[in-house]
Amino acid sequence: MKTPALPAGLLALLLALPCAAADAPAAETSAGKPAEEPGQGEKQARVWFDMLDTNHDGHLEWKEVRFVPWKPLRSEFHTADTNGDGFLTPDEIRVLAKRRVQERRARKAREAQEKAEKLAREQARAQDAKP
């Protein structure tokens, strides 16, 4: 069985769901609560989700992604399956994506803090070295 090649950015697109939605302007729902307009990233992620959902049941099964040639999608499947039912829904992908975004932000903040501390130490040493 030959598996069609998928672009390397597939999981990134799927994981972009909350990022794209967070940047989109809010619309009003019939209940008067703001609804999130899907951004371009979320729309593209949905296209890829639908393409992988070969039986068109609204969720991804392991058998639908296990032969995808891009390893991160396969390795993240079980992490994203938060209820352990063996299926991925768009909501489960959003939860994982939000977690990954938070992890990236925390890592970048840590790196920025470390860089600032290193610069402060270097400046202090330079001041100490002046006669």
Side-chain angles (χ1 to χ4, degrees), residues 1-130:
M1 176 173 149
K2 205 170 198 179
T3 306
L6 297 172
L10 179 61
L11 185 60
L13 288 173
L14 290 174
L15 294 181
L17 293 173
C19 302
D23 294 337
E28 292 287 324
T29 64
S30 59
K33 295 181 181 177
E36 294 180 352
E37 292 281 331
Q40 188 62 31
E42 183 165 355
K43 289 176 186 175
Q44 185 62 47
R46 189 61 204 201
V47 167
W48 288 110
F49 185 94
D50 292 342
M51 188 172 22
L52 287 173
D53 184 14
T54 56
N55 62 3
H56 308 291
D57 61 358
H59 56 258
L60 299 178
E61 300 175 44
W62 174 245
K63 69 182 181 179
E64 292 172 310
V65 299
R66 70 180 177 193
F67 294 115
V68 172
W70 197 45
K71 186 177 178 180
L73 178 60
R74 295 190 317 269
S75 65
E76 292 286 337
F77 183 91
H78 298 293
T79 302
D81 184 17
T82 54
N83 63 1
D85 65 356
F87 303 105
L88 288 185
T89 64
D91 289 337
E92 285 177 315
I93 292 172
R94 280 186 192 96
V95 168
L96 178 65
K98 286 179 183 180
R99 188 176 341 136
R100 294 296 181 250
V101 167
Q102 290 170 344
E103 289 169 359
R104 279 192 303 274
R105 286 181 181 159
R107 186 184 70 246
K108 286 183 179 185
R110 230 180 8 258
E111 290 170 354
Q113 179 66 31
E114 290 169 359
K115 186 176 180 179
E117 290 171 357
K118 181 180 177 183
L119 181 60
R121 284 191 304 271
E122 290 172 357
Q123 288 174 343
R125 276 193 288 257
Q127 286 294 330
D128 291 343
K130 286 185 178 179

